[in-house]
Amino acid sequence: MAIPAGHLAAPSEILLRSSHSNPLFLSSTRNLVFRGDSAHLGQRQRRRRAAALRSGAGGRGWSSSYAVRAVLERQGAALAASEVKRSRSDDRPKVASLNDIISERGACGVGFIANLKNEPSHKIVNDALIALGCMEHRGGCGADNDSGDGAGLMTSIPWDLYNNWAVKQGLASLDRSKTGVGMIFLPKDENFEKGAKSVITKIFLEEGLEVIGWRPVPVNTSVVGYYAKETMPNIQQVFVKVLKEEKVDDIERELYICRKLIERAAKSEEWEDDLYFCSLSNRTVVYKGMLRSEALGQFYLDVQNELYTSSFAIYHRRYSTNTSPRWPLAQPMRILGHNGEINTIQGNLNWMQSREATLKSPVWRGRENEIRPFGNPKASDSANLDSTAELLLRSGRTPAEALMILVPEAYKNHPTLTIKYPEVVNFYDYYKGQMEAWDGPALLLFSDGTTVGACLDRNGLRPARYWRTVDDMVYVASEVGVLPMDDSKVISKGRLGPGMMITVDLQSGEVYENTEVKKRVASTHPYGDWLREKMRIMKPGNFLSSVIMDNETTLRHQQAFGYSSEDVQMVIETMASQGKEPTFCMGDDIPLAVLSRKPHMLFDYFKQRFAQVTNPAIDPLREGLVMSLEVNLGKRRNILEVGPENASQVILSNPVLNEGELDSLMKDPNLNAQVLSTYFDIRKGLDGSMEKTLQKLCEEADEAVRDGCQLLVLSDRSEELIPTRPAIPILLAVGAVHQHLIQNGLRMSASIVADTAQCFSTHHFACLVGYGASAICPYLALETCRQWRLSTKVVNLMRTGKMPTVTIEQAQRNFCKHLKQAVQSGLLKILSKMGISLLSSYCGAQIFEIYGLDQDVVDVAFCGSVSKIGGLTLDELARETLSFWVKAFSEDTAKRLENFGFIQFRPGGEYHGNNPEMSKLLHKAVRQKSENAYSIYQQHLANRPVNVLRDLLEIKGDREPIPIGRVESASSIAQRFCTGGMSLGAISRETHEAIAIAMNRLGGKSNSGEGGEDPIRWSPLTDVIDGYSPTLPHLKGLQNGDTATSAIKQVASGRFGVTPTFLVNADQLEIKIAQGAKPGEGGQLPGKKVSAYIARLRNSKPGVPLISPPPHHDIYSIEDLAQLIYDLHQVNPRAKVSVKLVAEAGIGTVASGVAKGNADIIQISGHDGGTGASPISSIKHAGGPWELGLTETHQTLIQNGLRERVILRVDGGFKSGIDVLMAAAMGADEYGFGSVAMIATGCVMARICHTNNCPVGVASQREELRARFPGVPGDLVNYFLYVAEEVRGVLAQLGYEKLDDIIGRTDLLRPRHISLTKTQHLDPSYFLSNVGVPKWSSSEIRNQAVHTNGPVLDEIILSDPEPCSDGTFGVVPLDAKVVLKVLLQISDAIEHEKVVNKIFKIYNIDRAVCGRIAGVVAKKYGDVGFAGQLNITFTGSAGQSFACFLTPGMNIRLIGESNDYVGKSMAGGELVVKPVEGTGFIPEDATIVGNTCLYGATGGQVFIRGKAGERFAVRNSLAEAVVEGTGDHCCEYMTGGCVVVLGKVGRNVAAGMTGGLAYILDEDDTLIPKVNKEIVKIQRVNAPAGQMQLKSLIEAHVEKTGSSRGSAILSEWEAYLPLFWQLVPPSEEETPEACTEFEKIKAKRGMSLQSA
């Protein structure tokens, strides 16, 4: 429920940061209060100010939208605005550039309002503005905290308003049926404006349109933010009359053509980037700008005018992670309002350009060439999706049909669609081969003026709620509570689930929900008949049952194509025998391929991109039902025409072919396959030879396609290898042909298949698909599998039972086929890291970064990919290729494969940063406390080969040296040091505690990692005698006063060990978005590492593996990350919140969004970070060097005015003081040490962490191994003091007294003159660029106060402010004495453990309510110690994270509804959510709470009268809950507790559920197909204890909520009980609730114990 009028006022007093030394940061009613906030005020002043802020009089709490209350007070009074100039765009390149794409990311809050009678009114416009104001917290602001990232409104055209203007201008009344209205951003420069208007007018006249007039749009610029005003365009409307068309669709099409012609004409003009059409239509108009929500209505005076009426409105508030968003990128666009991120945008743009030549339709009357291009890489992903949707609409498609084509749902594993709506499945199957999905999380609102609708992405990763009222109004919004609503008039409430759609037909007044919409669309053509007639499905081919090469020939091929013995033994053979990717640990500490002195395959120069912050990774393990590896081969025809020929393609279930399948494709008559050889001839010299062959290959491909070939097979297969004819790297060949065909407009006519020896790891497959291959036949890898299976060694191992028996066919199948097996599951994981569901969308999407290739190579084959540091030329690449090739022909080559040592260290192999010699030297230095030994360690590092990018640089001073005594102390420097987030579980208790104690002695910070922390560690030791303490008896070298607490406590996706008490005992809280060794993935703790102690800390069960999901449950978008930051600031306002990111191109853009999300600290991790366990391909092939990530982040934050907001921390492979100084010069304030800290405490780099067999007990949970732990805290203290002294020494040489003085000083860095083995074309200039230094010193940034949430409802509940002079509190209109009594009662009840009962009003802008109260209780009493009772009732619509972090004794009732994250991480208490009495809807049919409720709950009870959204009770550990229906993924990752569902559930129930029980009512026998049966057993409720548990929870539910559903079940208990299913994971099978034979088993066990 929104806030009633008159509730609060909001004058805009300005707050200043009071600092004599730093610039003032100004903020007004919605700005972030930071820089110390109220820390300098007295306690009484702060209370008074908090109350004033609550009433709106004061500074802008960053996330508490109390200024919105003033907006609502006026019920739609005008709102305000700001704009930013578009950056100049060059002529459109041949392919989309990643650099353009990553500079703009966004997420948002959106909604629409529609009148089913199509009756226009000003109230609809007014309500849209109010709703927009209530979603301000879902948007972002620039560095001035006043320039919004964007807000906008789309409505039908307000003809009365415009006619009123026309009459005043002396013009004739506008002809509504023929007039087009253009809303235009024009150049501000007067001459440019005249030029733009002249071009626009000229085009209109040439097209036969009459220009009626120009109307300057009335605006109020006083409400525009500083940055937005700097670039605010000249906003005008043009009115034109379309004379030669009669039909509305033809008029819209003519206006579209005019706009495209104007855009084309503008390309040659100087003002090109300053002209933008927000809309040009006969039906709709868009008002938007770089504004905050509440500013939109104040800025555009039109929308305040009562004559502005509309029958619908789409509204949008943007959160751009780029702090300088452009005015045109505000939304809605011309058709869409998009909340989300298109992850495949680079591929989508390339494919759209490819199909431009084939797009034709009679409706365009031969004018297709005039409306190209259809995409623009310099625009946002939303703008490009809108452009494509607009093309389909103007070509005759309906809005619903266009969105079904572009953003299809996950229809493949959908029982309802398959059984009830096969025509919808046929529609999706038909278009799957025509249009690659625009994949990524998305809530899309759309309208063409006659239909208004909304749809959600296939994974449901954006919130969308809708409701309908008796007065024929329909509302859709990202949140409930955005408008005042009388629930007695609401006749239905629901939510959009994954892939769902809702449309409103304004002309007929009909509302169509999901399957109704889709059935209508899918029934327009006989798609099923066409598929049956034309589509061919590839049948799985048999694998070869014998080898086709002898051992010597196989070895020669392996040598020629770059295989090493590690590749064969650790990768291929592991995949063949086990059907899964090999796992390794400790991270990647070898040089980048370009720096290495060893030859590398081309694939090693590519790093996979991954999702972080702006979009979520997907969970391929538990949510794989939304993913697909299906591939369509063959020509993709004209998508604007519908017919049977478009279905003529071949479908592969996955992209991996065996020899038989490739052979059958070659024989397909329709494909007309052609093989192109990829060998190049070096007889005339190496230089230029590969480039010439590539050109020839592209020409051959071009000719073949023009001759009708639909399948190009690029092959390096040969009967005999020839010394002078090496093979082009297959990735280079595929990329070059792909790019060539795109540029020549032929790419849609043929598919590319790679038939190659050069592909054996999942990364290789992903690279080939990413750069254009639709399928791959890895013939040499398959032959290697066959050779392995038939080898004498393997035959003997299988015969003796030492290895599981697999057949020769099974070995190959394990390697590449089944979804559960190696290549396919690995491919799914790589797709999922980037949040991509479909291989068809990944194909050609180029989701990679390049490290070490020259721009010439990129331009030939990988156009649009980022290669920041340059590298190998084509000739140098040919030379590296040849270095492999010659091994196959050299007599000196051994008769076995070389071991390059890329994975495991070996003498003579690749250099590893963490090598045995380094470990020994370090151990000697810290254990002997010997400066001389540390000097030898330093010398070892100084003499190492070039290993990391910073080795290419050196620091050169610009001053005279100074005495070291003038340099800041080592202890001061050491306070900037942190250790990595190593979880207790991955490493042993001894290691974890020793590191924490050492860091606390130093004043640095250790990190808990994911997995909680034992409360015994939170108090200083007072019982130490001779270095030993009974409190921590397993440690030595202790001192009285030591504390073993981790200053940084981590909140990761698994939420293991995250309780309110854990959170309030932190100095800092770290949100782990990504980990350097495996970004985009979750973690896994093997069951053998989950001891009883670890299980207790993680609220799980011993011996059961613990899997952390990828980070997508409550951090799947920038606004949701901002919400989690808000939650953590709420529960612990004293702790700084850090966000851990991993380096990749575009991280500066991401970091800008994180800074705007109110994070205190941003950590940049390098790809070389350590890990307890990770797939080898993730360790080796994902993430980037921190040097690049840090440089980009620091400089982007400075450019955007955000650097002072956040501390920058960096980690990844740090070993010495030189590393610290390099990082400082690149902009870091603090420095993280991971693997080296473990080495200092005893780790010997055995690299078997994942096996639980660590020989020195550092990374094992086995007691006998832990007893060997050699470390003492003093060793690590010694190490860090040595590092700090090293820093001091260099600072003295450079002439600087403080580390502060060199932070951000890239001018001190110089390139080192060193000779690399492979190339002299590396370009370090990116590190050396300088955009200035922060306005504040690093120490001032580090010492600023914790960012606050501003005024929050919890503070009002907790504080005891003095009455204001007028006797009121500005909170609620109550008597002052009453209010004071209420507040004192709450505080008093906590302090003295009393019982108190209170009622408060709540609105959707009140977020994380109860979190602050829970933090106060947890700090004083822990998670279970509070004996009082806080009985608090709220009425209204609660904001996100309602009732988060509840502790025992907190009994919370909400009468109304709530949004996402209800009950997040609650540890106890009771939570009841029920609708108000007398609703117009049936409560059990209504969605009353949002997505991801009870995430990570560790206790308490929850009763919800109504339905919940997706992912209900995800990672629930101990809470009990009753709900009346849920969306998909209910009980996902549950490890304990109990969930009762008294209604329907969505798909994928109990995925990853390893503990706890679920009871689900199944009245129509539809549950079984919806359950993920991988872990849980499904049974009826037969055990008496289970029946009792179920019944007692339903009884409590009825008592608490008055549920009629529950009452009906209880009244007919005997009839309903058999309709319940009980879901039981293995760990619960022998519990009394699940086991009917429990007493017998118990008795039997008792007897066996007695006999023992």
Side-chain angles (χ1 to χ4, degrees), residues 469-500:
T469 60
V470 290
D471 53 355
D472 290 312
M473 298 296 294
V474 175
Y475 303 83
V476 173
S478 294
E479 293 190 11
V480 292
V482 294
L483 279 171
M485 197 62 58
D486 180 352
D487 270 356
S488 65
K489 293 183 178 178
V490 176
I491 56 175
S492 68
K493 283 189 178 186
R495 57 170 238 296
L496 290 183
M500 289 173 65

Side-chain angles (χ1 to χ4, degrees), residues 629-648:
L629 293 179
E630 274 196 4
V631 181
N632 286 49
L633 296 182
K635 186 171 184 174
R636 288 199 264 177
R637 291 173 170 81
N638 177 15
I639 197 168
L640 299 187
E641 289 289 302
V642 183
E645 283 306 312
N646 286 14
S648 179

Side-chain angles (χ1 to χ4, degrees), residues 1536-1549:
C1538 179
V1539 170
V1540 178
V1541 186
L1542 306 180
K1544 286 188 175 296
V1545 292
R1547 296 188 286 171
N1548 204 36
V1549 180

Side-chain angles (χ1 to χ4, degrees), residues 6 14 111 411 659 1007 1097 1151 1295:
I14 292 178
Y411 65 97
E659 292 93 341
N1007 189 315
L1097 294 181

Side-chain angles (χ1 to χ4, degrees), residues 186 222 287 324 513 532 547 676 678 877 1018 1402 1437 1611 1633:
L186 289 165
S222 68
Y287 283 74
S324 304
E513 293 189 24
R532 284 185 287 275
V547 296
L676 303 178
T678 60
L877 199 54
W1018 297 342
I1402 194 168
S1437 297
S1611 65
E1633 290 81 10

Side-chain angles (χ1 to χ4, degrees), residues 1351-1417:
V1352 293
L1353 180 56
D1354 284 47
E1355 281 183 353
I1356 301 306
I1357 298 172
L1358 284 168
S1359 63
D1360 54 347
E1362 298 171 356
C1364 303
S1365 57
D1366 60 356
T1368 67
F1369 284 78
V1371 183
V1372 285
L1374 296 172
D1375 177 78
K1377 292 179 182 176
V1378 175
V1379 174
L1380 187 57
K1381 187 178 176 185
V1382 168
L1383 301 173
L1384 287 172
Q1385 283 176 347
I1386 295 283
S1387 294
D1388 188 53
I1390 295 173
E1391 184 66 29
H1392 300 104
E1393 301 186 85
K1394 294 180 180 178
V1395 177
V1396 67
N1397 300 280
K1398 288 297 152 220
I1399 300 176
F1400 294 92
K1401 194 78 180 157
I1402 194 168
Y1403 307 99
N1404 81 302
I1405 57 174
D1406 293 316
R1407 298 180 289 139
V1409 169
C1410 298
R1412 182 70 51 85
I1413 300 168
V1416 172
V1417 174

Side-chain angles (χ1 to χ4, degrees), residues 1259-1314:
S1260 175
Q1261 302 307 320
R1262 289 169 54 186
E1263 299 233 358
E1264 74 277 15
L1265 295 176
R1266 286 170 47 206
R1268 300 179 188 173
F1269 177 68
V1272 294
D1275 291 348
L1276 189 56
V1277 171
N1278 293 341
Y1279 169 69
F1280 279 123
L1281 289 176
Y1282 284 139
V1283 172
E1285 288 292 352
E1286 183 184 350
V1287 171
R1288 293 185 73 220
V1290 178
L1291 285 174
Q1293 288 175 358
L1294 296 174
Y1296 291 94
E1297 295 181 0
K1298 301 189 299 293
L1299 200 51
D1300 273 358
D1301 298 337
I1302 70 160
I1303 288 173
R1305 292 286 307 278
T1306 53
D1307 57 300
L1308 298 176
L1309 298 176
R1310 302 280 189 280
R1312 282 175 65 197
H1313 298 294
I1314 48 176

Side-chain angles (χ1 to χ4, degrees), residues 681-695:
D681 194 329
I682 59 170
R683 283 176 297 181
K684 294 182 181 177
L686 184 64
D687 289 355
S689 59
M690 192 159 74
E691 186 173 7
K692 286 175 193 165
T693 307
L694 276 174
Q695 290 170 356

